[in-house]
Amino acid sequence: RLLVFTTLGIAVLGIVLRREAVSLLFGYGRFDDAAVEVTAGALGIFLLGLPAHSGIAILARAFYAAQDTRTPMVGAVLAVLVNVAVSIATVGELGIRGLALGIAAGAWLEVAFLVVRLGGALPGLSAAREAAGWLRSAATASVAGVAIWSATVFLGWTGPALASGKASVALVAGVATAAFVGLYVGLATAARQSEPATI
């Protein structure tokens, strides 16, 4: 739950600052504004699956520790099937974003499958309770993300910052990141979520 709480925050912040991140990392030379937009769009979709990918890394090891390699393999196969199906269905309309959406959807199906199966194997683990904790974190992160995005738009930091040089982009990204972290942790604490106390 702590891992999902952390990666949800990273994912939402990354989605809000996807253009700034791509501009800082790759926006040089022949990597023009159009390339930044395409890459940022794909990054935003990829980030939707970040918490699921992180969860899979831990949940699969729980089965390995019990000498069960079949369950993670089944989950991975299901994820691939969903990945391919969603990608084929959306790539014509969304382009590379459709491929990213397929990967994210497959990851979430796999992590849900693993949580449900592990919940049936471990009496102390409730899939419903874990899902409720994840949804609380998702709601908190979304509120913080919308607030930071709205602030950057209201202050006019998005377009002008990207056009005025890397120093401005880095400054906007740094201020927005600090504000998001403070707001996210503050909202989670106010909502009496247990995760902030364990960070």
Side-chain angles (χ1 to χ4, degrees):
R1 204 177 304 154
L2 177 61
L3 179 67
V4 171
F5 175 82
T6 303
T7 53
L8 272 169
I10 294 170
V12 171
L13 179 63
I15 291 170
V16 171
L17 298 177
R18 61 191 182 280
R19 291 182 182 85
E20 287 79 2
V22 172
S23 177
L24 283 173
L25 291 172
F26 303 112
Y28 305 91
R30 296 176 63 183
F31 203 96
D32 58 12
D33 292 342
V36 168
E37 285 298 319
V38 171
T39 307
L43 175 62
I45 303 296
F46 270 123
L47 284 169
L48 293 175
L50 176 63
H53 286 293
S54 301
I56 290 167
I58 287 182
L59 292 168
R61 284 165 174 75
F63 291 98
Y64 299 151
Q67 298 184 343
D68 176 4
T69 58
R70 179 179 298 176
T71 300
M73 183 193 70
V74 171
V77 171
L78 290 174
V80 170
L81 293 175
V82 170
N83 180 352
V84 172
V86 173
S87 296
I88 291 174
T90 60
V91 70
E93 183 72 22
L94 300 177
I96 191 174
R97 291 175 297 168
L99 301 178
L101 182 60
I103 292 171
W108 277 109
L109 175 72
E110 184 176 357
V111 79
F113 172 78
L114 293 177
V115 167
V116 170
R117 290 300 301 270
L118 193 60
L122 295 178
L125 179 68
S126 165
R129 186 168 61 246
E130 292 306 311
W134 294 2
L135 288 174
R136 282 194 299 271
S137 294
T140 306
S142 297
V143 170
V146 169
I148 298 304
W149 175 81
S150 300
T152 59
V153 171
F154 177 76
L155 294 171
W157 284 0
T158 50
L162 289 173
S164 59
K166 301 303 180 190
S168 296
V169 176
L171 179 61
V172 167
V175 172
T177 298
F180 175 85
V181 170
L183 184 58
Y184 183 35
V185 173
L187 288 172
T189 302
R192 298 184 179 180
Q193 292 179 233
S194 60
E195 293 84 1
T198 59
I199 295 178

